[in-house]
Amino acid sequence: MQYLVRLAQAHETFRRPELEAVADLLGIDLEILRYIDESPFCVVRLQSQHAATALVSRAILASDIYELWAYGSDYDYLHEAVKAARSIYIPRYQRSSFRFAIDSFQGKRSTSKQRELIEAFSYMDFEGPIRMEDADIELCVFEEFDRLASEPKHLWLGRWVAKSDRRAIVDFNLKKRQYISRTSMDAELSLVTANLLQAAPGKIIYDPFVGTGSFTVTAAHFGAMALGSDIDGRSVRGTPAKNLLSNFDQYGLNVLFLDSFIADLTNTPLRSGRLFDGIVCDPPYGVREGPKVLGYREGKLAQEIIIDGVPAHMREGFIPAKRPYSFDDLLHDILDFSYDMLVDKGRVAMWMPTANDEDVEISIPSHPGLILISVCVQKFNKWSRRLLTYQRRVEDAHPVDYRREKRVKASGRSADSLNMFRKKYFSGFK
């Protein structure tokens, strides 16, 4: 059966990967028949209405899904297609209450014109009453115009089936959240990231740059258990009233919060092993502060400090020394860690920056044990960032060890010398 997915007109490069990730997670056989980044109308083939409902009910970058009844390049062809299919669809809803709507993309219809277009379908002979609210069925004509065109170039007629989970964007809005920071990821992209990660009940999701927990909270929204760590102990601890746990409490998700701890990815206390179903992260790009790891700058030796007879590192509130770290090295460390810690087919979703029209500047990192599933781009004024989603290869009866040789780490004493993106950002990408 064919369906039309009414997509959100935002984050266009994320929409198709999200649908495919959700379909794969739910075991839905999804065939995308028409998808164009510039259009909000996506036509798919699914095995049943149940599958259509399950697919869109989990999606964030869609609004609704419709059972597709007819298509035409103009209204004459659309009416011909409706009449040809009338015997298939109409008998099921002959006496049902109904309503009609017009959805125009890049075009506009007056109220009187909409009424005229709707009345042209009177031959469908519905016997039930018209109800503008709570109708048994809702039919919608979708119009797609070229810019400044007077008539549409594509038309579809569909019956509404189900609504998406887009309401969650409002529920998780950062303005309503108790504990946030300047770097907290917005609700919409956090939810989409959780979908690309395939967060679901029974899964464990880990964020090694957890901050205020944007990704872990939205992963828990989809039923996953969440664990996080951060090199900044202040973000992990928060305050007694506002902290990571209070965010989970706010949304009634505290039973899915496993724990949080202070660590950096290169000095993790976690036991090496296949522990996680998903790893999600938005590592520091170096805009507000260069990436750092635990340790001392080059040329500076560690010295034990005694305060009141107690070693400083044993005192409450101790903040360990940190040193600048190469962003390129950090990206590769994330992939190495993910390969070691993910279960078969486990996913890692990682955000990374790039300058517009200069993608070669920070190339997409790769790992022989991880398959790149999707690359989604969010553009800003002079730069953009990408969400990279990888999947761990399945190990069969004769597993291949994909561990890489240790890379030679970049050396340098300043954040700028170790992070080309940071340097370009503060020079205006000149």
Side-chain angles (χ1 to χ4, degrees):
M1 299 174 65
Q2 291 189 18
Y3 294 85
L4 185 143
V5 182
R6 200 344 176 151
L7 299 168
Q9 290 169 236
H11 305 302
E12 288 80 1
T13 63
F14 292 72
R15 301 181 307 190
R16 179 170 183 155
E18 184 193 29
L19 287 176
E20 292 172 337
V22 172
D24 179 65
L25 170 66
L26 301 178
I28 295 173
D29 185 11
L30 170 68
E31 181 183 358
I32 296 179
L33 304 177
R34 179 190 191 265
Y35 177 86
I36 301 171
D37 275 347
E38 295 75 22
S39 171
F41 305 134
C42 172
V43 179
V44 302
R45 180 177 284 117
L46 298 164
Q47 61 265 45
S48 66
Q49 181 171 310
H50 176 75
T53 301
L55 175 69
V56 82
S57 296
R58 168 82 191 230
I60 299 299
L61 294 177
S63 59
D64 304 86
I65 191 166
Y66 293 77
E67 181 184 51
L68 188 56
W69 283 13
Y71 164 80
S73 55
D74 58 34
Y75 271 100
D76 288 338
Y77 282 108
L78 179 64
H79 285 300
E80 288 182 13
V82 172
K83 291 173 182 176
R86 183 167 52 181
S87 62
I88 300 174
Y89 299 112
I90 303 303
R92 285 186 283 165
Y93 307 103
Q94 192 86 45
R95 295 177 174 80
S96 301
S97 61
F98 68 97
R99 70 180 294 259
F100 256 93
I102 303 287
D103 185 346
S104 302
F105 173 63
Q106 296 187 153
K108 190 175 182 180
R109 299 290 196 184
S110 66
T111 302
S112 59
K113 184 60 177 179
Q114 289 186 40
R115 185 182 301 112
E116 177 187 334
L117 293 172
I118 291 170
E119 289 175 350
F121 289 90
S122 59
Y123 59 84
M124 296 178 74
D125 293 330
F126 286 112
E127 298 176 5
I130 297 173
R131 289 182 183 164
M132 299 312 294
E133 294 184 4
D134 300 322
D136 293 331
I137 66 166
E138 177 183 330
L139 298 175
C140 187
V141 177
F142 299 93
E143 301 181 318
E144 183 173 294
F145 292 76
D146 280 328
R147 290 188 183 277
L148 304 180
S150 59
E151 293 297 325
K153 63 178 179 178
H154 297 294
L155 293 156
W156 297 268
L157 174 67
R159 177 184 66 86
W160 182 84
V161 173
K163 186 175 290 294
S164 75
D165 192 31
R166 197 160 173 77
R167 170 68 193 179
I169 298 172
V170 177
D171 296 337
F172 287 91
N173 191 313
L174 290 180
K175 293 180 180 179
K176 302 177 183 178
R177 194 174 302 172
Q178 293 182 1
Y179 182 51
I180 62 171
S181 70
R182 293 178 300 170
T183 59
S184 296
M185 182 68 73
D186 71 83
E188 185 172 30
L189 287 176
S190 293
L191 289 159
V192 173
T193 302
N195 265 340
L196 291 172
L197 197 64
Q198 298 184 330
K203 292 190 174 185
I204 300 177
I205 305 299
Y206 172 58
D207 184 352
F209 304 90
V210 69
T212 59
S214 291
F215 293 125
T216 50
V217 166
T218 52
H221 166 68
F222 292 117
M225 293 177 285
L227 177 71
S229 66
D230 202 290
I231 193 173
D232 187 350
R234 294 167 298 180
S235 67
V236 172
R237 288 188 291 265
T239 67
K242 296 182 179 180
N243 50 58
L244 274 173
L245 182 57
S246 68
N247 279 346
F248 282 80
D249 285 335
Q250 178 180 349
Y251 300 111
L253 300 170
N254 55 321
V255 294
L256 295 172
F257 177 66
L258 294 178
D259 207 348
S260 60
F261 56 94
I262 303 168
D264 79 66
L265 194 72
T266 64
N267 295 278
T268 179
L270 292 171
R271 173 177 59 84
S272 181
R274 313 284 291 283
L275 302 177
F276 303 125
D277 299 280
I279 295 171
V280 58
C281 58
D282 182 21
Y285 310 151
V287 174
R288 293 184 177 87
E289 184 179 12
K292 293 182 178 181
V293 295
L294 297 176
Y296 292 86
R297 294 176 182 267
E298 289 185 7
K300 186 175 181 180
L301 299 178
Q303 294 181 341
E304 186 178 34
I305 299 175
I306 306 296
I307 301 176
D308 295 334
V310 179
H313 66 276
M314 299 294 290
R315 296 175 63 88
E316 185 176 351
F318 172 73
I319 299 176
K322 304 178 183 70
R323 61 180 175 85
Y325 198 61
S326 162
F327 185 73
D328 286 340
D329 287 341
L330 181 60
L331 295 178
H332 287 281
D333 286 341
I334 293 169
L335 296 188
D336 288 340
F337 177 84
S338 299
Y339 172 74
D340 288 337
M341 303 298 287
L342 285 172
V343 300
D344 284 349
K345 291 191 175 182
R347 290 193 169 200
V348 52
M350 174 175 69
W351 286 87
M352 65 168 285
T354 179
N356 284 342
D357 302 321
E358 295 185 41
D359 287 24
V360 296
E361 193 170 287
I362 305 178
S363 60
I364 295 175
S366 63
H367 191 289
L370 300 171
I371 302 168
L372 182 64
I373 299 295
S374 63
V375 179
C376 306
V377 180
Q378 181 189 21
K379 292 184 178 180
F380 298 102
N381 184 23
K382 292 186 177 181
W383 66 287
S384 63
R385 60 181 176 182
R386 296 177 285 206
L387 174 59
L388 309 178
T389 305
Y390 302 81
Q391 186 176 76
R392 196 190 193 283
R393 293 183 184 275
V394 176
E395 292 190 0
D396 55 21
H398 303 286
V400 177
D401 189 352
Y402 288 108
R403 288 182 178 83
R404 302 185 291 191
E405 294 183 4
K406 292 292 185 182
R407 300 173 70 249
V408 177
K409 303 292 185 179
S411 59
R413 299 194 63 180
S414 70
D416 284 351
S417 66
L418 290 168
N419 189 341
M420 184 56 68
F421 173 78
R422 175 186 170 90
K423 187 174 182 180
K424 293 284 288 185
Y425 181 91
F426 285 111
S427 66
F429 297 98
K430 296 177 182 178

